[in-house]
Amino acid sequence: VNGDDECAFDKFGNDLGDYYLQRGNLVEAIKSYARTRDFSSMPKHTDEYSLNLIITSIGMDKIMNIANYIGKIDDPDTSLAVKDKLRIVKALLFLSQSNYEQCAKTFLSITSCENILYQFPQVISTHDIAIYTTLCSLATLNRNQIRKLLLENREFKSILDCVPLTR
């Protein structure tokens, strides 16, 4: 399989998975995304199908699968937007495990809030990020940490501004 064929297989597998996902057939969507993996060798394609598998696994409530797919994306060449999406997914995993301090710190480590505000709505809304981060921070961090990590965080301010009650 040459590079052009690989791109065609990736595109078809992702498009088919998207089709099933839009129609609520999560089992077929995850199968299509997983088949894409067989034809992917480029890191960009690995990131794309892994994010698709993560989104579908969240919909299926398959928490253990999500951690596995996150590990496939952790690459130094991964784009900032993809890294921020991974941070969001990791924070949600911490939240599902009742690890509220790590959840707050992981949400607060998002480096490009403007980038993420409109690019990951199928997983979580900006409003929910602000609420979860604020509540988890208040529950687990001391005053100095809250001031430094939450209130003085310029990157995260754009998210907090979306929900005035969190300021």
Side-chain angles (χ1 to χ4, degrees), residues 113-145:
C113 294
E114 292 299 323
N115 217 7
I116 212 65
L117 290 177
Y118 306 105
Q119 292 186 0
F120 217 35
Q122 63 273 51
V123 174
I124 191 169
S125 71
T126 306
H127 181 270
D128 289 344
I129 291 173
I131 296 292
Y132 293 152
T133 305
T134 302
L135 291 176
C136 289
S137 296
L138 289 172
T140 60
L141 303 177
N142 65 41
R143 287 177 186 241
N144 289 332
Q145 289 175 311

Side-chain angles (χ1 to χ4, degrees), residues 13-150:
N14 283 323
D15 287 349
L16 188 59
D18 292 346
Y19 171 82
Y20 286 125
L21 187 62
Q22 289 172 355
R23 277 144 189 79
N25 190 341
L26 302 180
V27 173
E28 289 302 317
I30 211 160
K31 285 179 186 177
S32 294
Y33 293 137
R35 276 188 227 117
T36 303
R37 175 181 44 210
D38 298 336
F39 301 102
S40 295
S41 62
M42 296 170 52
K44 179 183 175 191
H45 297 160
T46 303
D47 294 352
E48 188 176 346
Y49 80 72
S50 293
L51 277 173
N52 287 334
L53 286 167
I54 288 169
I55 291 166
T56 309
S57 295
I58 289 170
M60 295 175 73
D61 204 24
K62 302 262 185 193
I63 302 300
M64 298 314 294
N65 290 358
I66 297 168
N68 182 32
Y69 299 134
I70 288 172
K72 293 181 187 304
I73 299 179
D74 281 339
D75 183 323
D77 297 331
T78 302
S79 73
L80 184 60
V82 172
K83 286 180 182 179
D84 281 340
K85 288 178 182 181
L86 287 179
R87 287 182 183 104
I88 287 172
V89 172
K90 287 176 184 178
L92 292 173
L93 281 175
F94 288 129
L95 185 62
S96 74
Q97 298 163 352
S98 301
N99 188 342
Y100 304 121
E101 182 175 1
Q102 275 308 116
C103 174
K105 288 180 177 179
T106 306
F107 272 134
L108 289 166
S109 71
I110 295 172
T111 57
S112 180
C113 294
E114 292 299 323
N115 217 7
I116 212 65
L117 290 177
Y118 306 105
Q119 292 186 0
F120 217 35
Q122 63 273 51
V123 174
I124 191 169
S125 71
T126 306
H127 181 270
D128 289 344
I129 291 173
I131 296 292
Y132 293 152
T133 305
T134 302
L135 291 176
C136 289
S137 296
L138 289 172
T140 60
L141 303 177
N142 65 41
R143 287 177 186 241
N144 289 332
Q145 289 175 311
I146 290 171
R147 185 176 13 82
K148 180 182 171 193
L149 297 175
L150 183 66

